[in-house]
Amino acid sequence: MSLRVGAATDVGRVRDHNEDAALAEHSVFLVADGMGGHAAGEVASQMVIEAMREIASRDALTVDDLVAQLDLANTRIIDEAEAKPERRGMGTTATGLAVVNADGADHWAVFNVGDSRVYRFIDGQLTRVTVDHSEVQELTDAGVITEAEARVHPLRNVVTRSLGVTPTLEVDTWVFPPFPGERFVICSDGLTNEVGDDDIAWIVGQQDDPQQTAEELVRAAVEHGGRDNVTVIVVALDAVDEEDSETVPRTTFEPNTGE
């Protein structure tokens, strides 16, 4: 696979610090949205990033590897909160994309815990891969509110599944083969609560460069209100000749803390 990657983050217009964290290294791409307040949410999100970094350079990753490492991160967060009372109640989402080995070939694996999202953009169409674990998603699925209403609903920040809550972690995963020319958007809900899917699709369709795309998506979220931290990773899979293909490049991303 030949990948191009871009990443951007912003503290937004309301929050005084950034609890989001992101990883874009080797063939693992992850966004984590921390919860629990100052000196807690950002700790939890960074802990899952550090845990996933431990396996990012491993050859022939599997879906089981990803799930096991997320489970390890969950245990570490719970242990940290128990050891330090000021951090009790902290947690984080974990949503991302990785190249894994399935049936002897490279495949995409999308994984999700919480309400951050992964979108797939292919042939001009944007599709949400992940399903939010949130109160508003349940209300939307039940037909009580619309997608537009969900973005401004009072319960929009209430998640029903996250790391750091219970010892047993349930991770949603999807595995599918790569398709040259496709792109992925991995984002915290700071983007999706401010920018609708149609607008996300338009921005992705207007830009070729992943870095410019990530920055434009973040800028749109801030301009539409910026009520939360917003973090975006964009991954583009290019079509290349087999003889010209290279290993997946390493891209390191350190989010802005807002300090």
Side-chain angles (χ1 to χ4, degrees):
M1 292 185 177
S2 177
L3 303 182
R4 291 178 295 136
V5 183
T9 191
D10 196 283
V11 70
R13 295 181 171 181
V14 176
R15 305 294 179 90
D16 62 1
H17 65 288
N18 198 338
E19 294 183 294
D20 287 356
L23 176 71
E25 295 184 9
H26 301 285
S27 55
V28 177
F29 312 98
L30 168 70
V31 167
D33 182 355
M35 301 163 284
H38 190 61
E42 62 266 40
V43 173
S45 61
Q46 193 59 43
M47 287 181 72
V48 70
I49 295 300
E50 292 302 328
M52 296 304 285
R53 179 175 281 127
E54 293 170 6
I55 64 169
S57 62
R58 186 181 299 177
D59 292 333
L61 273 175
T62 67
V63 174
D64 288 344
D65 292 333
L66 298 173
V67 173
Q69 204 68 9
L70 289 170
D71 189 61
L72 176 61
N74 183 56
T75 299
R76 290 176 178 174
I77 293 169
I78 291 173
D79 289 347
E80 177 75 7
E82 290 179 350
K84 298 179 179 179
E86 69 275 12
R87 292 179 176 173
R88 287 177 184 171
M90 72 176 181
T92 183
T93 69
T95 303
L97 173 76
V99 179
V100 299
N101 183 274
D103 298 324
D106 284 342
H107 282 65
W108 290 121
V110 170
F111 52 91
N112 180 54
V113 181
D115 64 349
S116 296
R117 293 180 182 175
V118 175
Y119 290 90
R120 188 189 195 196
F121 185 82
I122 185 169
D123 292 334
Q125 299 295 317
L126 186 77
T127 303
R128 190 192 310 176
V129 181
T130 55
V131 178
D132 294 350
H133 304 133
S134 66
E135 292 283 359
V136 294
Q137 184 65 57
E138 293 180 0
L139 292 172
T140 302
D141 291 344
V144 176
I145 61 175
T146 65
E147 289 281 355
E149 291 170 334
R151 292 201 301 273
V152 297
H153 196 279
L155 298 178
R156 65 184 178 275
N157 293 322
V158 179
V159 297
T160 56
R161 197 187 302 180
S162 63
L163 283 79
V165 177
T166 62
T168 302
L169 183 68
E170 185 177 356
V171 183
D172 289 348
T173 60
W174 298 261
V175 179
F176 47 91
F179 189 88
E182 66 188 344
R183 279 177 281 175
F184 293 88
V185 175
I186 309 162
C187 61
S188 62
D189 66 343
L191 174 67
T192 54
N193 284 338
E194 303 290 4
V195 184
D197 287 5
D198 289 345
D199 290 332
I200 293 174
W202 186 86
I203 293 171
V204 175
Q206 294 300 304
Q207 299 279 358
D208 176 67
D209 180 66
Q211 184 61 40
Q212 291 180 1
T213 305
E215 291 173 2
E216 185 59 33
L217 288 167
V218 168
R219 186 179 302 112
V222 175
E223 290 177 351
H224 280 77
R227 290 166 292 181
D228 199 355
N229 311 143
V230 54
T231 301
V232 176
I233 298 173
V234 176
V235 179
L237 174 60
D238 294 331
V240 296
D241 293 334
E242 189 72 21
E243 295 179 355
D244 296 331
S245 63
E246 299 177 353
T247 55
V248 176
R250 171 178 173 136
T251 302
T252 301
F253 168 59
E254 296 296 337
N256 171 29
T257 62
E259 296 178 354

